[in-house]
Amino acid sequence: YFFYPEEHEHLTADRWNQIACEIFELLHANVVALRLSSGCTAVLAQIDKFQFRWAHAGDARAVLVKMNGHAIRLTEDHKPRR
């Protein structure tokens, strides 16, 4: 996807949300265009000196591993209702 390095240090929450929505909409459009029946997954992350943001769709998992090796699960699976 598109990464805007010039925005990295000044990325606002609103801009992050806009970029995340654009990515998920593009992913959805590709699934529809390819007539895929199995769905898709995605994890997005943005890290800078002051913030860590993440978003996900589907059953993709994001885990943050600290310097001491301790792992923190950041996401819960999105599962369709059955």
Side-chain angles (χ1 to χ4, degrees):
Y1 185 71
F2 318 102
F3 179 67
Y4 305 96
E6 67 278 2
E7 290 184 307
H8 179 72
E9 292 294 322
H10 309 289
L11 198 61
T12 65
D14 287 340
R15 181 65 179 135
W16 164 256
N17 290 337
Q18 180 185 7
I19 290 170
C21 287
E22 289 174 13
I23 291 170
F24 289 131
E25 287 172 2
L26 180 62
L27 185 60
H28 176 73
N30 285 327
V31 168
V32 171
L34 294 171
R35 297 181 180 182
L36 298 176
S37 60
S38 60
C40 61
T41 64
V43 174
L44 311 173
Q46 185 247 337
I47 302 169
D48 65 27
K49 344 181 226 198
F50 305 108
Q51 300 181 73
F52 177 56
R53 298 177 176 136
W54 69 91
H56 76 107
D59 60 356
R61 294 183 180 150
V63 177
L64 174 66
V65 180
K66 293 185 169 189
M67 295 290 287
N68 64 6
H70 180 72
I72 301 170
R73 184 176 180 164
L74 300 175
T75 58
E76 294 292 329
D77 294 353
H78 293 155
K79 296 285 187 178
R81 293 182 183 159
R82 298 181 197 255

